[in-house]
Coordinates of all heavy atoms in Angstrom, one line a residue:
V195 N 145.8 85.7 111.3 CA 146.7 86.6 110.7 C 147.7 87.3 111.6 O 148.9 87.4 111.3 CB 145.8 87.8 110.0 CG1 146.7 88.8 109.3 CG2 144.9 87.2 108.9
D196 N 147.2 87.6 112.8 CA 148.0 88.3 113.8 C 148.8 87.4 114.7 O 149.8 87.8 115.2 CB 147.1 89.2 114.8 CG 146.3 90.1 114.0 OD1 146.7 90.6 112.9 OD2 145.2 90.6 114.5
G197 N 148.4 86.1 114.7 CA 149.1 85.1 115.5 C 150.3 84.5 115.0 O 150.8 84.9 113.8
P198 N 150.8 83.4 115.6 CA 151.9 82.6 115.0 C 151.6 82.0 113.7 O 150.5 81.8 113.3 CB 152.2 81.7 116.1 CG 151.0 81.5 116.9 CD 150.3 82.9 116.8
P199 N 152.6 81.5 112.9 CA 152.3 80.9 111.7 C 151.4 79.6 111.7 O 150.7 79.4 110.8 CB 153.8 80.6 111.1 CG 154.7 81.5 111.9 CD 154.0 81.7 113.3
W200 N 151.5 78.9 112.8 CA 150.6 77.7 112.9 C 149.2 78.1 113.4 O 148.4 77.1 113.6 CB 151.3 76.7 113.9 CG 151.7 77.3 115.2 CD1 153.0 77.7 115.4 CD2 150.9 77.6 116.3 NE1 153.1 78.3 116.6 CE2 151.8 78.2 117.2 CE3 149.7 77.4 116.7 CZ2 151.4 78.6 118.5 CZ3 149.2 77.8 117.9 CH2 150.1 78.3 118.8
A201 N 148.9 79.3 113.6 CA 147.5 79.6 114.1 C 146.4 79.3 113.2 O 145.4 78.7 113.7 CB 147.5 81.2 114.3
S202 N 146.5 79.4 111.9 CA 145.5 79.1 111.0 C 145.2 77.6 111.0 O 144.0 77.2 110.8 CB 145.7 79.6 109.5 OG 146.9 79.0 109.1
A203 N 146.2 76.8 111.1 CA 145.9 75.4 111.2 C 145.2 74.8 112.3 O 144.4 74.0 112.2 CB 147.2 74.6 111.0
K204 N 145.5 75.4 113.4 CA 144.8 74.9 114.7 C 143.7 75.9 115.2 O 143.2 75.7 116.3 CB 145.9 74.8 115.8 CG 146.8 73.7 115.5 CD 147.7 73.5 116.7 CE 148.8 72.3 116.4 NZ 149.6 72.1 117.6
S205 N 143.3 76.9 114.4 CA 142.3 77.8 114.8 C 142.6 78.5 116.0 O 141.8 78.6 117.0 CB 140.9 77.1 114.7 OG 140.6 76.6 113.5
F206 N 143.8 79.0 116.2 CA 144.3 79.6 117.5 C 143.5 80.8 117.7 O 143.3 81.6 116.8 CB 145.8 79.9 117.4 CG 146.3 80.6 118.6 CD1 146.5 79.8 119.7 CD2 146.5 81.9 118.7 CE1 147.1 80.4 120.9 CE2 147.1 82.5 119.7 CZ 147.3 81.8 120.9
G207 N 143.0 81.1 119.0 CA 142.3 82.3 119.3 C 140.9 82.2 119.1 O 140.1 83.2 119.3
S208 N 140.3 81.1 118.7 CA 138.9 81.0 118.5 C 138.3 80.4 119.7 O 138.9 80.0 120.7 CB 138.6 80.0 117.4 OG 139.1 78.7 117.5
L209 N 136.9 80.4 119.8 CA 136.1 80.0 120.8 C 135.7 78.5 120.7 O 135.8 77.9 119.5 CB 134.8 80.8 121.1 CG 135.0 82.3 121.3 CD1 133.6 82.9 121.2 CD2 135.7 82.6 122.5
V210 N 135.4 77.8 121.7 CA 135.1 76.4 121.7 C 133.6 76.2 122.1 O 133.2 76.7 123.2 CB 136.0 75.5 122.6 CG1 135.6 74.1 122.6 CG2 137.5 75.7 122.1
S211 N 132.8 75.6 121.3 CA 131.4 75.3 121.6 C 131.3 74.3 122.8 O 132.0 73.2 122.7 CB 130.7 74.8 120.4 OG 129.4 74.3 120.7
Q212 N 130.5 74.5 123.8 CA 130.4 73.6 124.9 C 129.5 72.5 124.5 O 129.6 71.3 125.1 CB 129.8 74.3 126.1 CG 130.6 75.4 126.6 CD 130.1 76.1 127.9 OE1 129.0 75.7 128.3 NE2 130.8 77.1 128.4
G213 N 128.6 72.7 123.6 CA 127.6 71.6 123.2 C 128.2 70.6 122.2 O 127.9 69.5 122.3
S214 N 129.1 71.1 121.2 CA 129.6 70.2 120.2 C 131.1 70.1 120.1 O 131.7 69.2 119.5 CB 129.1 70.7 118.8 OG 129.6 71.9 118.6
G215 N 131.7 71.1 120.8 CA 133.3 71.1 120.9 C 133.8 71.7 119.6 O 135.0 71.7 119.4
E216 N 133.0 72.3 118.8 CA 133.5 72.9 117.5 C 134.2 74.2 117.7 O 133.8 75.0 118.8 CB 132.4 73.1 116.5 CG 131.7 71.8 116.0 CD 130.6 72.1 115.0 OE1 131.0 72.8 114.0 OE2 129.5 71.6 115.2
R217 N 135.1 74.6 116.9 CA 135.8 75.9 116.9 C 134.8 76.9 116.3 O 134.1 76.7 115.3 CB 137.1 75.9 116.2 CG 138.1 75.0 116.9 CD 138.7 75.6 118.1 NE 139.7 74.7 118.6 CZ 140.4 74.9 119.7 NH1 140.3 76.1 120.3 NH2 141.3 74.1 120.2
A218 N 134.7 78.1 116.9 CA 133.8 79.1 116.4 C 134.3 80.5 116.8 O 135.2 80.7 117.6 CB 132.4 79.0 117.1
V219 N 133.8 81.5 116.1 CA 134.2 82.9 116.3 C 133.1 83.6 117.1 O 133.2 84.6 117.6 CB 134.5 83.7 115.0 CG1 135.8 83.0 114.4 CG2 133.4 83.6 114.1
I220 N 131.8 83.0 117.0 CA 130.7 83.6 117.8 C 130.0 82.4 118.4 O 129.7 81.4 117.8 CB 129.8 84.4 116.8 CG1 130.4 85.6 116.3 CG2 128.5 84.9 117.6 CD1 129.5 86.3 115.3
V221 N 129.7 82.6 119.7 CA 128.9 81.6 120.4 C 127.9 82.3 121.2 O 128.1 83.2 122.0 CB 129.8 80.8 121.4 CG1 129.0 79.8 122.3 CG2 131.0 80.0 120.8
K222 N 126.6 81.9 120.9 CA 125.4 82.4 121.6 C 124.6 81.3 122.3 O 124.2 80.4 121.7 CB 124.5 83.1 120.6 CG 123.3 83.9 121.2 CD 122.4 84.5 120.2 CE 121.3 85.2 120.8 NZ 120.4 85.8 119.7
Q223 N 124.5 81.5 123.6 CA 123.8 80.5 124.4 C 122.5 81.2 125.0 O 122.6 82.3 125.5 CB 124.7 80.0 125.7 CG 125.9 79.2 125.2 CD 126.9 78.8 126.4 OE1 127.0 79.6 127.3 NE2 127.4 77.7 126.2
T224 N 121.5 80.5 124.9 CA 120.2 81.0 125.3 C 119.4 80.0 126.1 O 119.3 78.8 125.8 CB 119.3 81.3 124.0 OG1 120.0 82.2 123.2 CG2 118.0 82.0 124.5
Q225 N 118.9 80.4 127.2 CA 118.0 79.6 128.1 C 116.7 80.2 128.2 O 116.6 81.4 128.5 CB 118.6 79.4 129.5 CG 119.8 78.6 129.5 CD 120.4 78.3 130.9 OE1 120.0 79.1 131.8 NE2 121.2 77.3 131.1
T226 N 115.7 79.4 127.7 CA 114.2 80.0 127.7 C 113.4 79.2 128.6 O 113.3 77.9 128.5 CB 113.7 79.9 126.3 OG1 114.6 80.5 125.3 CG2 112.4 80.5 126.1
C227 N 112.7 79.9 129.5 CA 111.9 79.2 130.4 C 110.4 79.2 129.8 O 109.8 80.3 129.6 CB 111.8 80.1 131.8 SG 111.0 79.2 133.1

Side-chain angles (χ1 to χ4, degrees):
V195 177
D196 301 335
W200 45 265
S202 60
K204 295 187 177 181
S205 300
F206 179 78
S208 59
L209 302 173
V210 180
S211 168
Q212 297 179 2
S214 63
E216 296 183 52
R217 297 283 179 176
V219 294
I220 296 177
V221 177
K222 182 179 181 181
Q223 294 176 323
T224 304
Q225 289 185 338
T226 306
C227 189

